[in-house]
Amino acid sequence: MDFPDRMGVVGVSSKEKRSFGQSTNLVGVPTELLGCREFNAHPVELHISGAREMNKNLFEMLSHAPDLADAGLAFHSYMNAMFGIDPEQREDGARARRFRASFLRLLKGWGYDSNGPEGAVLKGWVQSRFGLFPTFHKQVIDRLTGPVWTAYVEEKMSSRFHNNSIHTQLDMLYEFCQWALATFVAPGKTHLTLYRGTNSFDEHQIVERLDRRRVVMRINNLASFSEHRDVAGCFGDIIVTAHVPVVKMVFFNTLLPIHPLKGEGEYLVIGGEYLADASYL
């Protein structure tokens, strides 16, 4: 069965279809290169400017961890000490105080609904650090004006979740994830094969169809994948299979001892154009 064509972002010119985001980012690779399929085929190491340099004590501590479980506990403790997030994650209403945003609360919200306010903050962080614009938030984002873009910007900047140096927290999560992948999970590997289930191509748009199965797909600037094909099948009748660069992974489900995305083999992946297989179950 053929799949529908969605040529880049809806409503833009042919030249603009190749545009992935803003001209600036914090990883030292041009955004247009970072978002294209050529980068995904031949990735280079990425680091968020200043994140490791400002947290040398953390990575010195991590260097002594014998395994991922101990490293995860060390990272969790460091984040609690740095950002004071533990007490504010209580949901029992025991204390009325201003909520401090935390990366854990964003992950929890993402697990409920990637198009909710927490998802907007996460997509906004990807835009800030990697330069890639989201292509979908509740609806297709077809231009950088109008009500859909405005609603996304309002949510990503809301003080409800955009406080307590939340972008710095996410910087550290990304760098810890990259360290853990290189040290324990995928040492020496440049790519992992991951799967995503979908029922439509609104959020992740087909840019080019190469044959009945192979497509070039523009993935939203942040997206969930699974390491298990059968789990991906629970989220849609179409299975997208992609070889995802390790450097584009922000989080995976065994990274931390305590977090709300357990049980689905989930990976959070930075988007752009991907060469992928798309097939029905």
Side-chain angles (χ1 to χ4, degrees):
M1 185 178 296
D2 290 336
F3 299 100
D5 281 316
R6 295 298 297 269
M7 296 298 292
V9 178
V10 177
V12 297
S13 70
S14 176
K15 182 178 180 181
E16 291 174 322
K17 288 169 190 170
R18 193 66 173 171
S19 177
F20 294 101
Q22 60 200 35
S23 60
T24 59
N25 62 51
L26 294 182
V27 293
V29 173
T31 302
E32 295 303 302
L33 174 60
L34 186 63
C36 74
R37 73 193 81 169
E38 290 81 8
F39 178 89
N40 289 338
H42 305 284
V44 298
E45 189 173 350
L46 298 176
H47 291 289
I48 296 172
S49 178
R52 292 206 182 195
E53 292 82 355
M54 294 295 291
N55 295 279
K56 290 182 179 180
N57 290 341
L58 169 62
F59 289 94
E60 172 63 24
M61 181 169 57
L62 291 175
S63 69
H64 301 290
D67 53 35
L68 181 57
D70 276 5
L73 287 170
F75 178 78
H76 191 77
S77 297
Y78 187 89
M79 296 294 282
N80 289 343
M82 285 287 291
F83 300 102
I85 58 178
D86 255 5
E88 283 69 30
Q89 304 320 304
R90 293 183 180 181
E91 298 182 357
D92 57 8
R95 288 187 291 178
R97 58 187 299 180
R98 187 172 186 273
F99 183 86
R100 289 187 181 180
S102 85
F103 72 98
L104 290 172
R105 185 62 183 86
L106 294 186
L107 292 176
K108 182 177 182 180
W110 179 274
Y112 285 137
D113 180 8
S114 63
N115 289 299
E118 297 93 334
V121 175
L122 285 163
K123 293 169 188 174
W125 169 77
V126 173
Q127 178 186 334
S128 170
R129 273 36 183 175
F130 297 88
L132 298 170
F133 289 145
T135 57
F136 190 96
H137 188 70
K138 295 184 175 70
Q139 300 178 55
V140 173
I141 299 176
D142 57 359
R143 62 186 188 275
L144 303 185
T145 58
V148 180
W149 177 261
T150 299
Y152 154 70
V153 171
E154 288 176 349
E155 284 200 336
K156 80 182 180 76
M157 295 303 295
S158 169
S159 61
R160 182 184 178 193
F161 297 112
H162 200 289
N163 62 69
N164 200 24
S165 302
I166 193 62
H167 278 187
T168 300
Q169 292 185 45
L170 294 171
D171 293 347
M172 294 171 65
L173 178 66
Y174 172 79
E175 291 293 345
F176 174 56
C177 177
Q178 290 297 303
W179 177 89
L181 287 164
T183 306
F184 293 118
V185 179
K189 292 185 178 180
T190 60
H191 296 76
L192 295 178
T193 300
L194 300 178
Y195 309 91
R196 179 177 174 86
T198 186
N199 288 313
S200 75
F201 293 103
D202 286 338
E203 183 169 357
H204 310 295
Q205 303 152 4
I206 292 179
V207 175
E208 182 181 356
R209 186 189 302 119
L210 304 178
D211 55 38
R212 289 180 64 87
R213 291 174 61 99
R214 291 193 308 149
V215 297
V216 176
M217 180 173 289
R218 179 156 179 186
I219 303 294
N220 204 355
N221 75 341
L222 188 66
S224 291
F225 280 75
S226 176
E227 61 182 337
H228 307 299
R229 181 183 172 89
D230 56 341
V231 171
C234 297
F235 295 90
D237 294 333
I238 302 169
I239 302 298
V240 176
T241 304
H243 300 294
V244 178
V246 170
V247 298
K248 282 197 168 183
M249 296 175 185
V250 175
F251 180 84
F252 57 92
N253 74 316
T254 59
L255 181 62
L256 296 174
I258 302 172
H259 68 82
L261 296 182
K262 292 281 189 182
E264 298 177 357
E266 186 163 357
Y267 283 71
L268 293 189
V269 170
I270 295 167
E273 283 186 352
Y274 282 78
L275 179 63
D277 288 341
S279 61
Y280 283 95
L281 288 173

